[in-house]
Amino acid sequence: MWIPFAAVSRRRFPAGGGQPFRLADKILAATEQIVLESGAERISILDVCNAAGISRGTFYRYFASQQELLDAFSRHKRERFHRSLLDATSKYDDPDERFAALVSYLEQYLEHGKSRRLLIVAPEYALGFFKRIFHDSVVRFQDVLGIVFDAWDERLGIKLDRELVC
């Protein structure tokens, strides 16, 4: 079951956005910068605070530990990927156009995204992240490609295994 980052973090981030969300985003951006530079196993709370330009006390208002920070970072990255995927594909009602939009999105993501860097700098963290989001991503891809699969099933005269294809 997919839960948006904001819903998971309600106890620290009040509804309506505002300053707490901006600070959380700043902390997560600093976390990404550090993880991509030196890996997840070398991340320190002090380094994150310095990169985000905040005090340790401010950090601890948002995250109780390094592990909680990395978990929130993973949720944040997953949510952004899925939201961008939906944005890139949902405007297409034609199955062929939607599939082309999906392929184009994935091509752009792999070419310009930071996943490759993450795999190089923090392979254990990256593989663990991909493992944790795999099932959720398969479900999301099935949702996004529903009209594509319906069209393919009709064209081919068979029922494709959507989960396997995704």
Side-chain angles (χ1 to χ4, degrees):
M1 178 171 100
W2 177 74
I3 301 170
F5 173 73
V8 171
S9 305
R10 272 197 191 109
R11 66 186 168 90
R12 292 197 174 89
F13 309 123
Q19 181 67 15
F21 279 107
R22 285 191 294 274
L23 277 174
D25 285 342
K26 192 174 185 179
I27 293 168
L28 293 171
T31 301
E32 180 173 45
Q33 173 190 336
I34 292 168
V35 167
L36 292 174
E37 287 174 4
S38 53
E41 56 281 338
R42 294 188 183 181
I43 195 167
S44 78
I45 291 171
L46 182 59
D47 289 343
V48 172
C49 291
N50 289 338
I54 61 168
S55 70
R56 288 176 74 99
T58 299
F59 174 89
Y60 284 113
R61 280 188 235 143
Y62 293 89
F63 304 100
S65 66
Q66 177 185 22
Q67 188 58 52
E68 188 176 306
L69 171 66
L70 290 173
D71 290 346
F73 175 67
S74 293
R75 285 190 307 274
H76 178 70
K77 294 300 289 177
R78 179 187 69 205
E79 183 180 314
R80 282 184 48 201
F81 174 80
H82 290 143
R83 190 176 359 169
S84 296
L85 174 66
L86 192 57
D87 289 346
T89 58
S90 64
K91 58 188 162 206
Y92 298 101
D93 292 327
D94 177 78
D96 295 331
E97 289 177 355
R98 181 165 295 191
F99 185 70
L102 172 93
V103 170
S104 177
Y105 172 78
L106 291 174
E107 184 177 65
Q108 286 284 334
Y109 181 81
L110 292 173
E111 185 68 30
H112 302 288
K114 298 173 181 164
S115 295
R116 288 179 196 246
R117 178 75 183 149
L118 187 61
L119 277 168
I120 292 168
V121 176
E124 286 182 36
Y125 176 79
L127 292 174
F129 170 73
F130 293 131
K131 183 179 178 181
R132 284 189 307 274
I133 71 164
F134 184 78
H135 177 72
D136 183 49
S137 295
V138 169
V139 170
R140 297 293 187 115
F141 275 90
Q142 287 180 72
D143 290 344
V144 166
L145 294 174
I147 65 170
V148 174
F149 286 126
D150 292 343
W152 289 352
D153 288 349
E154 188 176 317
R155 286 179 198 164
L156 298 170
I158 61 170
K159 183 87 170 149
L160 294 171
D161 184 337
R162 296 171 184 212
E163 183 179 10
L164 181 63
V165 172
C166 288

